[in-house]
Amino acid sequence: MADPKQSEERLKDEGVALPEEIDKGSMCDEIVGSSGALQRVLSLVSKVAPTDATVLVTGETGTGKELVARAIHRQSRRSSRAFVSVNCAAVPRDLIASELFGHEKGSFTGAMQRRLGRFELAEGGTIFLDEVGELPVEIQVALLRVLQEHEFERVGGTRSIQTNVRVIAATNRNLQAAIAAGTFRSDLFYRLNVFPIEMPPLRERREDISSLLEYFIDRYARKLGKNIRSVSSRTLELFQSCPWPGNIRELQNVIERSVIVCETENFSVDETWLPRQPLASECKSQSDFSQKLAAQEKEMIEAALRESAGRVFGPCGAATKLGIARSTLESKIRSLKISKNRFKTCAGMLSADLG
Ligand SMILES: Nc1ncnc2c1ncn2[C@@H]1O[C@H](COP(=O)(O)OP(=O)(O)OP(=O)(O)O)[C@@H](O)[C@H]1O
Ligand SMILES: [Mg+2]
């Protein structure tokens, strides 16, 4: 197999444009925790890693989905090749095909030279499709072809390109709800869901909190040149009783902030920085129900916004499609924290001012 660095140099010499990064590799890759829930995940990781099976990692935000994807790559036979990560939600709709599959020179305005897509950069290695639920339907079709036939075409190209890339996808969305709402293809779901791994939220593995606390304090104290020797028992108690809706990422941020302001050798936390406990009156089944309802509402609104290229009102707007008042839709977009700009296409943006 060719050395990926060498092929990268060669492609640069040939004047082929490459995306800025192949592997960020910036993340600290250690997976900390000894809870049964995490151990079960790690055992799945070591079983699936040596195979070439497609993996779908699901779980709430900040639970470690990308960390697990990297661990699978590291433990696989592809570990000496590239791990290419693509956040499907962060790439504008109009550019996602070119981002994934590349484009030929002159295939669209602004395509000044041939550019390789992420699949070609990942050749022989692994591609991580983060937030795969955000892929537009036409790209879902192309991805299905990659998974079934191991081939794709560059945008504006006529030649099929064979690919040998392992796909790991992740989502924090309920893909079943997206399938029901018509925004995600069920055939693609089954192709991705060959080997599902569900990341447990931190509140279901509280045993991991003390080791994570220790690990992150050590990491940030080192980085900041501080000497922290102990954690107050009150602080540990507070950390363990938190709901952590943002999971490990949130825990990590609170620890970093606390280490920055810590002036003694004893680590403590400002209680106001901790996520609030849910109200005792909010019984679990009730909150489960309303969470599911909100998720479905969000799916439907996002589907309508997608169809209307991000336009809220007017005859082709999402409010009309949904049959609700513009003001109702706008307040739902705010309360459900939907980013309508995500659905804007270039053509849509030009006429956005009109309605
Ligand atoms: N078990 C763990 N041990 C150490 N660090 C962890 C662990 N799990 C997660 N992290 C850290 O928490 C942060 C969030 O993890 P990651 O990005 O993998 O989560 P994610 O599920 O992909 O989140 P999102 O849905 O927001 O993309 C990262 O900085 C990661 O290194
Ligand atoms: Mg992620």
Side-chain angles (χ1 to χ4, degrees):
M1 273 191 214
D3 171 10
K5 261 271 149 320
Q6 266 178 14
S7 11
E8 196 182 321
E9 289 306 317
R10 180 180 50 78
L11 289 165
K12 275 188 184 149
D13 289 346
E14 283 175 16
V16 176
L18 294 169
E20 326 62 54
E21 37 123 25
I22 294 193
D23 181 1
K24 293 189 289 260
S26 57
M27 245 211 247
C28 198
D29 281 343
E30 196 173 343
I31 302 183
V32 177
S34 53
S35 62
L38 188 67
Q39 292 309 313
R40 275 191 290 283
V41 166
L42 295 181
S43 135
L44 292 176
V45 165
S46 59
K47 285 191 181 117
V48 79
T51 74
D52 259 343
T54 303
V55 179
L56 180 64
V57 191
T58 56
E60 290 176 16
T61 183
T63 43
K65 297 187 292 295
E66 179 155 358
L67 206 58
V68 155
R70 285 174 187 275
I72 294 173
H73 174 71
R74 253 198 338 270
Q75 293 177 31
S76 77
R77 281 170 302 186
R78 298 170 176 264
S79 61
S80 64
R81 310 303 302 267
F83 176 89
V84 174
S85 170
V86 188
N87 183 339
C88 302
V91 185
R93 277 177 76 84
D94 294 357
L95 299 180
I96 185 95
S98 146
E99 187 69 24
L100 290 175
F101 306 118
H103 63 243
E104 296 295 346
K105 183 175 171 177
S107 54
F108 53 85
T109 324
M112 311 290 276
Q113 56 179 351
R114 195 175 103 201
R115 185 182 196 263
L116 295 191
R118 301 283 171 141
F119 269 96
E120 275 176 274
L121 292 176
E123 182 59 25
T126 305
I127 195 164
F128 175 56
L129 301 175
D130 202 1
E131 313 227 23
V132 73
E134 302 298 323
L135 281 181
V137 172
E138 63 279 11
I139 307 294
Q140 293 175 25
V141 177
L143 178 58
L144 191 62
R145 181 169 164 220
V146 173
L147 292 169
Q148 281 173 344
E149 334 262 341
H150 307 284
E151 61 178 31
F152 62 86
E153 269 155 40
R154 295 196 192 111
V155 175
T158 46
R159 186 169 66 89
S160 284
I161 297 173
Q162 289 298 313
T163 167
N164 166 21
V165 171
R166 185 199 205 153
V167 175
I168 303 180
T171 180
N172 56 22
R173 269 176 58 177
N174 177 347
L175 287 183
Q176 300 287 7
I179 292 171
T183 56
F184 202 82
R185 292 181 63 110
S186 57
D187 47 5
L188 178 59
F189 172 75
Y190 293 116
R191 276 281 168 179
L192 291 173
N193 202 38
V194 177
F195 196 90
I197 294 186
E198 192 181 342
M199 294 307 295
L202 193 52
R203 64 181 168 281
E204 283 172 18
R205 44 175 165 133
R206 292 185 188 277
E207 313 92 287
D208 289 342
I209 290 177
S210 62
S211 37
L212 284 164
L213 189 59
E214 204 174 301
Y215 170 74
F216 287 125
I217 290 175
D218 182 61
R219 196 161 122 189
Y220 293 116
R222 250 177 234 260
K223 193 167 140 195
L224 295 162
K226 293 196 174 188
N227 189 10
I228 297 176
R229 292 170 179 279
S230 58
V231 178
S232 77
S233 50
R234 167 86 185 132
T235 294
L236 181 59
E237 238 167 66
L238 282 170
F239 269 83
Q240 280 172 334
S241 59
C242 260
W244 297 115
N247 292 292
I248 294 129
R249 189 192 308 287
E250 187 182 25
L251 174 96
Q252 185 179 340
N253 290 345
V254 172
I255 298 173
E256 180 171 15
R257 230 186 302 163
S258 309
V259 171
I260 291 173
V261 300
C262 183
E263 285 172 350
T264 67
E265 291 189 344
N266 186 30
F267 178 88
S268 60
V269 67
D270 180 335
E271 289 188 29
T272 62
W273 291 353
L274 295 173
R276 248 176 14 90
Q277 290 283 27
L279 296 175
S281 61
E282 211 178 13
C283 94
K284 190 175 177 310
S285 65
Q286 219 174 11
S287 71
D288 271 2
F289 177 70
S290 50
Q291 262 175 20
K292 276 194 190 131
L293 212 58
Q296 292 217 335
E297 211 170 28
K298 196 169 174 183
E299 290 295 343
M300 289 176 76
I301 293 174
E302 287 184 339
L305 281 168
R306 203 167 278 131
E307 263 180 62
S308 62
R311 206 167 313 167
V312 173
F313 58 99
C316 307
T320 312
K321 287 194 197 309
L322 292 163
I324 58 176
R326 170 188 173 179
S327 54
T328 312
L329 179 57
E330 278 171 341
S331 91
K332 283 191 183 297
I333 287 175
R334 274 193 303 276
S335 65
L336 294 166
K337 297 199 176 63
I338 294 171
S339 145
K340 55 183 183 206
N341 289 339
R342 232 181 50 216
F343 302 104
K344 287 191 174 149
T345 58
C346 291
M349 272 185 225
L350 292 175
S351 53
D353 293 337
L354 305 171

